[in-house]
Amino acid sequence: MTVETPATVPQSPRLTTRLRDARTSVALLLLAIAAITPVAAPALGQPFYVDVTARIMIWAIAATSLNLILGYGGMVSFGHAVYLGIAGYTVGILAFDNITNGFIQWPLALLICGLIALVFGAISLRTKGVYFIMITLAFAQMLFFLGISVEKYGSDDGLLIFTRSEFDFGFAELDLSDATTLYYVIWILLIGSVYLSHRIVNSRFGMVIQGAMANETRMQAIGVPTYRYRLTAFVISGMMCGVAGLLSANFERFISPDVMNWPRSGELIVMVVLGGMGTLFGPILGSVAFLLLSEILSTWTEHWHLIFGPFLVLVVLFARGGLSGILDRLTGRADR
Amino acid sequence: MTEPLLAVRGLCKSFGGIAATDNVDLDITPGEIHAIIGPNGAGKTTLINVLSGLLPSDAGTIHFDHANITRASAPARCRRGLARSFQITSIFRNVSALDNVALAVQSAAGHSFRLWRPARRDPALRGPARALLERVGLADRATVMAGNLAHGEQRQLEIAIVLATRPKMLLLDEPMAGMGIEESERLLHFLRELKEQYTMLLIEHDMDAVFALADRITVLVYGRVIATGTPQEIRANPDVRRAYLGDEAAA
Ligand SMILES: Nc1ncnc2c1ncn2[C@@H]1O[C@H](COP(=O)(O)OP(=O)(O)O)[C@@H](O)[C@H]1O
Ligand SMILES: [Mg+2]
């Protein structure tokens, strides 16, 4: 049973081949547009789009984090926005108590996100399918109601954040009160999140979580205890979503329980599915499409949901792989 | 007599009221090919599911390689060296054949908490995986998406995955299921080759293959062992002829 080994062995896609596929090109183009928006939008008389783009990028980070477990791990977390709230409230509450040092705020926010994801994940990953969806939803709503009930921190009115996180490096200061600085911090962290996802999904660890999604039984049978890998992915994802949360709190100078209410979690899922689950740039495409469309449609008519809803249904029904899938088909890329 | 590699005592598993595994005793000697035969629904697959830990047993004990694995998880059993194949092909359909085997190599290599370096460019995984594909005759199909392989090729891939876990013993559930005559023939030779290296529990429908390969045969009917012995003993056993082989002769 021997056959000659082929002389050339295809490697994973190189940058050159990756640039050729449409979805990557579009995503890189969008990132480039985002890079020049703070200059270009005011010059074009549309300064309003700077904030729109910043918000889209924050959501794109959150969607990228969800894609890590939903798209690559098959874990349909219906409570993912909770980490936006946890990180946001950590920043907000610390600021409220006059701790504005970002070197304390940000690591603490991510640590708390990680710990809560560990607890929520440890329990919910014991279940599957609809039960998993419901239990992640229930955990998130639990914290939503906690946020509503704590009057000291504004309950459902939310909490204003008077001072953004301060980073004093000694020799220099990162001044997030400067809108442009904050904008580019968001831009860099979005790229960082996508790059981190790229490394993770192609690593040994990534092979395991994707394998466990594709065929759990086979994974167990080749000796991999899948639970602990899923749980780790769940924690990483929660922390990455926390990055979006602390950025949002800084950007809006405001945090309210609403950011972790279930419709936000639902919107995150929609962004991931719309953009293309399990594709690196899908969440960017999805959040751009979702937020721009809802922005534009809502200026046309107050009944914009009536157009938006059917549009989403059509994409999900007819474009397997979401917008990424459509782009691939337009350019004739057959695989995936 | 040498100590058995796998020793099963009083193993039971039922689904609702049906006893799919009924008080099974089994001793597998190191180096032997032990075939399990029995009519459809006799409980052969269930036995492998329970032995591999994918289903919990209701009663009885399983010892493997000097350890009591009755309560061990499926991954833990695989890591001890007890690897299984599936009657209904179970592979990762949406990645290449090579990726399939590499994942099993990775599992055998230890924990997979490596989150940074690209696994698909790791020679420590790709090298052994490629060698195994070559061994089962799939070297030129390495980059084909596993779901797009022909049925027979998927069966070969299934074996390569099992071997990649670096097992001591193989639990093979009808490895030839759905294969053409020529493919079966080649697999038969391959299994004989593997015999040098591995102890095997082999479930197989093809009686010619069973009698050609097996050192000993256990006959299962309604979840119960009705006979164990050498191929000659089994062939001559009147109970077996009545319960099983007779059916075939009549058909
Ligand atoms: N998961 C299951 N749930 C309920 N009944 C099952 C299950 N698996 C197998 N059975 C039943 O157990 C018996 C043995 O099945 P199986 O082990 O697949 O037999 P074989 O592999 O010998 O054909 C059959 O009656 C089958 O219907
Ligand atoms: Mg069977």
Side-chain angles (χ1 to χ4, degrees):
Chain A
M1 284 201 138
T2 37
V3 181
E4 254 175 75
T5 328
T8 55
V9 179
Q11 296 287 313
S12 70
R14 300 240 172 94
L15 192 62
T16 46
T17 58
R18 261 192 261 132
L19 283 176
R20 256 186 272 129
D21 79 65
R23 69 168 98 119
T24 310
S25 318
V26 170
L28 293 179
L29 183 68
L30 289 173
L31 284 171
I33 291 173
I36 59 166
T37 298
V39 183
L44 295 171
Q46 304 279 352
F48 160 76
Y49 273 98
V50 180
D51 280 3
V52 172
T53 310
R55 286 200 182 92
I56 291 177
M57 291 195 293
I58 291 171
W59 279 98
I61 295 173
T64 298
S65 78
L66 178 61
N67 186 40
L68 200 56
I69 56 170
L70 171 58
Y72 293 100
M75 294 168 250
V76 188
S77 167
F78 201 172
H80 215 58
V82 78
Y83 305 103
L84 295 172
I86 295 165
Y89 268 104
T90 307
V91 170
I93 290 171
L94 286 173
F96 184 84
D97 293 335
N98 286 321
I99 302 167
T100 53
N101 185 344
F103 292 115
I104 296 173
Q105 285 183 345
W106 289 26
L108 192 63
L110 297 187
L111 182 73
I112 296 173
C113 281
L115 287 175
I116 291 183
L118 184 66
V119 174
F120 286 3
I123 297 165
S124 47
L125 286 169
R126 300 273 176 204
T127 66
K128 289 210 164 64
V130 175
Y131 299 101
F132 180 80
I133 297 174
M134 295 318 283
I135 200 166
T136 49
L137 172 65
F139 277 136
Q141 289 308 100
M142 207 170 77
L143 289 197
F144 167 72
F145 287 118
L146 179 69
I148 279 189
S149 60
V150 180
E151 279 182 20
K152 184 182 178 197
Y153 299 116
S155 57
D156 54 350
D157 289 335
L159 181 62
L160 287 171
I161 297 168
F162 293 103
T163 313
R164 284 182 177 153
S165 306
E166 292 171 323
F167 291 92
D168 187 353
F169 291 90
F171 58 91
E173 227 177 277
L174 185 67
D175 184 12
L176 298 187
S177 65
D178 175 59
T180 311
T181 307
L182 179 56
Y183 182 96
Y184 283 108
V185 167
I186 295 170
W187 187 78
I188 288 168
L189 286 175
L190 170 58
I191 292 173
S193 308
V194 174
Y195 184 64
L196 182 63
S197 295
H198 168 70
R199 297 303 300 216
I200 289 175
V201 300
N202 289 300
S203 71
R204 290 189 181 202
F205 178 84
M207 296 298 127
V208 167
I209 61 166
Q210 288 167 85
M213 167 171 72
N215 191 342
E216 163 93 33
T217 305
R218 181 33 110 183
M219 211 64 204
Q220 300 260 344
I222 60 172
V224 181
T226 49
Y227 175 80
R228 61 185 73 157
Y229 294 95
R230 284 216 170 97
L231 182 55
T232 306
F234 195 87
V235 170
I236 293 171
S237 170
M239 292 175 79
M240 193 188 281
C241 193
V243 171
L246 53 84
L247 287 174
S248 175
N250 271 286
F251 179 79
E252 311 287 356
R253 296 183 193 232
F254 176 68
I255 177 76
S256 85
D258 186 58
V259 298
M260 50 183 167
N261 200 3
W262 68 267
R264 302 294 88 70
S265 296
E267 284 160 17
L268 278 176
I269 294 178
V270 170
M271 288 175 202
V272 172
V273 175
L274 181 64
M277 280 190 287
T279 62
L280 202 55
F281 293 110
I284 293 184
L285 301 180
S287 42
V288 169
F290 184 94
L291 294 164
L292 273 189
L293 268 179
S294 51
E295 192 77 49
I296 293 166
L297 288 177
S298 63
T299 60
W300 286 355
T301 161
E302 61 184 291
H303 304 299
W304 60 278
H305 286 109
L306 293 179
I307 307 172
F308 201 46
F311 166 75
L312 290 179
V313 172
L314 286 178
V315 171
V316 172
L317 279 183
F318 294 106
R320 274 189 58 228
L323 295 174
S324 297
I326 293 177
L327 286 173
D328 286 349
R329 241 161 295 149
L330 286 177
T331 52
R333 204 180 110 137
D335 57 329
R336 285 218 144 209
Chain B
M1 209 184 123
T2 50
E3 205 180 319
L5 180 61
L6 181 75
V8 176
R9 291 292 172 272
L11 198 66
C12 294
K13 175 74 196 173
S14 44
F15 299 107
I18 304 163
T21 305
D22 191 357
N23 203 15
V24 167
D25 293 345
L26 210 55
D27 280 313
I28 316 286
T29 319
E32 80 168 325
I33 294 188
H34 194 117
I36 306 262
I37 62 172
N40 263 331
K44 307 180 294 294
T45 297
T46 302
L47 179 62
I48 286 204
N49 283 340
V50 173
L51 290 178
S52 62
L54 288 179
L55 286 178
S57 54
D58 297 336
T61 58
I62 308 167
H63 284 81
F64 177 70
D65 199 18
H66 312 294
N68 184 344
I69 59 161
T70 314
R71 297 266 157 267
S73 69
R77 291 180 202 206
C78 177
R79 301 184 131 195
R80 284 196 170 277
L82 189 58
R84 68 164 293 174
S85 76
F86 290 82
Q87 179 177 359
I88 298 166
T89 308
S90 180
I91 53 180
F92 305 102
R93 307 184 64 82
N94 57 346
V95 294
S96 72
L98 187 60
D99 285 344
N100 270 265
V101 185
L103 194 48
V105 172
Q106 176 185 320
S107 168
H111 73 78
S112 294
F113 281 103
R114 293 196 193 168
L115 288 82
W116 197 250
R117 291 226 314 275
R120 286 197 173 93
R121 272 182 248 156
D122 190 339
L125 303 178
R126 306 308 261 188
R130 207 165 279 123
L132 276 164
L133 280 181
E134 191 167 338
R135 203 164 165 206
V136 301
L138 287 177
D140 54 343
R141 306 289 280 161
T143 58
V144 179
M145 209 199 285
N148 292 342
L149 292 171
H151 176 80
E153 292 173 330
Q154 293 187 359
R155 300 303 292 164
Q156 286 162 277
L157 179 60
E158 177 94 30
I159 306 260
I161 292 172
V162 172
L163 297 182
T165 65
R166 291 208 247 132
K168 295 191 179 87
M169 176 170 174
L170 315 179
L171 306 169
L172 301 177
D173 195 354
E174 303 202 21
M176 295 170 192
M179 274 190 169
I181 295 172
E182 203 176 309
E183 283 172 331
S184 304
E185 194 72 12
R186 271 196 301 161
L187 187 56
L188 186 73
H189 286 293
F190 186 52
L191 292 179
R192 194 171 279 139
E193 215 177 288
L194 289 181
K195 191 178 181 228
E196 309 287 316
Q197 232 177 321
Y198 306 101
T199 308
M200 271 184 255
L201 185 80
L202 173 70
I203 294 177
E204 189 44 65
H205 242 77
D206 180 344
M207 283 308 123
D208 295 334
V210 166
F211 284 103
L213 280 173
D215 300 300
R216 283 193 304 151
I217 298 173
T218 289
V219 185
L220 216 54
V221 176
Y222 294 124
R224 208 169 305 153
V225 174
I226 64 162
T228 296
T230 62
Q232 292 81 355
E233 287 164 356
I234 292 301
R235 231 192 270 272
N237 186 309
D239 287 342
V240 175
R241 296 191 71 91
R242 198 164 39 246
Y244 186 48
L245 294 178
D247 292 358
E248 224 184 36

